[in-house]
Amino acid sequence: MARVLVAMSGGVDSSVAAALLRAQGHDVTGVTLKLWGGAQDSGCCAVSDVEDARRVAAQLDIPHYVFNFSDDFTRNVVEPYVDAHARGATPNPCVACNRTMKWGRLLERTRQLGFDRLATGHHARLVTTPHGARLARSADAAKDQSYVLALLDASQLADTMLPLGDLTKTEVRAHAAQLDLRTATKPESMDVCFITKGGRQTFLDTRVPRAPGRIVTAGGVDVGAHDGIDRFTIGQRRGVGVALGERRYVIDVDAATSTVTVGERRELMRDRVQLDDVVLLDKPTNEQPLTAQLSAHGVPVACTFRAHDRVVHFRAPQPRVAPGQVVALYDGDVVVGGGIASPTG
């Protein structure tokens, strides 16, 4: 049996993860991360979430601690999020948090304290291969979270446990109810934890200097004005602020000139995307059939990947992936790796 540190957010998933590991005979300790001290109405930093985690730990008769990583969170997640929007990119803060906080600072602390493994309540599986532990899709396709973990490396996966990988969400809630855990019927938190619901633009308005600019067509025709590129993302159709008689999508954002380009859907389509910050667990051949997931809830699309120039080639054209978004690569259900969509395309 192992000494396991379980990241407990105060939700049902991490509660059941801790309960399952405890029932399996592991030496389990729960920890809740204090990451954000500003306004919020969701996430794992609210006082009520910490209290829920503490009381579940008490019910399971396991120790529980709170680690304050707020300075690291601001530096590694919040500030890069704001900077990315100022550059016209569309970041994924949950991926950044997983990499730098849970499997960064927390995994580092896990090892320092002498624990054997770090466990979370993510819906994803760990599978054993001849090359070590690999990440795979959850048994519950509707709740699969392998996408937001796709940039973890082999050493991080080697020290990880994901107890919920073979369970559906319905089974998780049923198990929590059977144990009479206070989180059994607690609603899921789906929003960015450091931004209040509906408050994304207000959050950015106080942090990104206003840089008014123009909205143009792909042919260079001026069709409108805007007061900041952080209000736009590639692929956006609603709220663009121009009326041209037919649907227009944001197809490009140029931070240097503060120019937003709009076009028809056909102008949005691409047959490839180049990746930055690539993580590869098993290097695929140039022609190896893979699938790519382009958003947290996106439908996987057929592709190949060329490691030498970090380019994903789609079998059929796809809407342009916004710079800053994660592209996760799979061989079947197993994650091969992934990267972040480059501004260069």
Side-chain angles (χ1 to χ4, degrees), residues 12 15-16 19 56 59-60 175-185:
V12 64
S15 298
V16 172
V56 167
Q59 188 174 350
L60 297 176
H175 194 78
Q178 183 180 16
L179 295 175
D180 197 27
L181 300 182
R182 64 186 283 111
T183 55
T185 60

Side-chain angles (χ1 to χ4, degrees), residues 273-289:
V273 61
Q274 186 172 47
L275 305 183
D276 294 330
D277 199 11
V278 172
V279 174
L280 284 181
L281 298 177
D282 299 296
K283 186 175 179 180
T285 63
N286 288 354
E287 300 304 318
Q288 182 178 341

Side-chain angles (χ1 to χ4, degrees), residues 95 98 103 120 122-129 131-138 144-158 160-163 165 279 281-282 293 326 328-338:
V95 173
N98 284 330
W103 279 270
T120 74
H122 283 90
H123 283 265
R125 292 183 296 125
L126 285 172
V127 296
T128 301
T129 75
H131 306 291
R134 294 294 183 265
L135 186 71
R137 293 191 184 278
S138 165
D144 176 55
Q145 293 176 296
S146 59
Y147 171 85
V148 296
L149 304 179
L151 300 188
L152 300 183
D153 64 30
S155 67
Q156 292 167 320
L157 294 176
T160 296
M161 299 179 81
L162 300 172
V279 174
L281 298 177
D282 299 296
Q293 188 164 330
V326 169
L329 300 172
Y330 295 79
D331 181 1
D333 284 339
V334 178
V335 174
V336 174

Side-chain angles (χ1 to χ4, degrees), residues 10 25-26 30 77 119 137 140 202 296 303 313 322:
H26 296 290
V77 180
R137 293 191 184 278
D140 189 339
T202 299
C303 70
H313 289 263

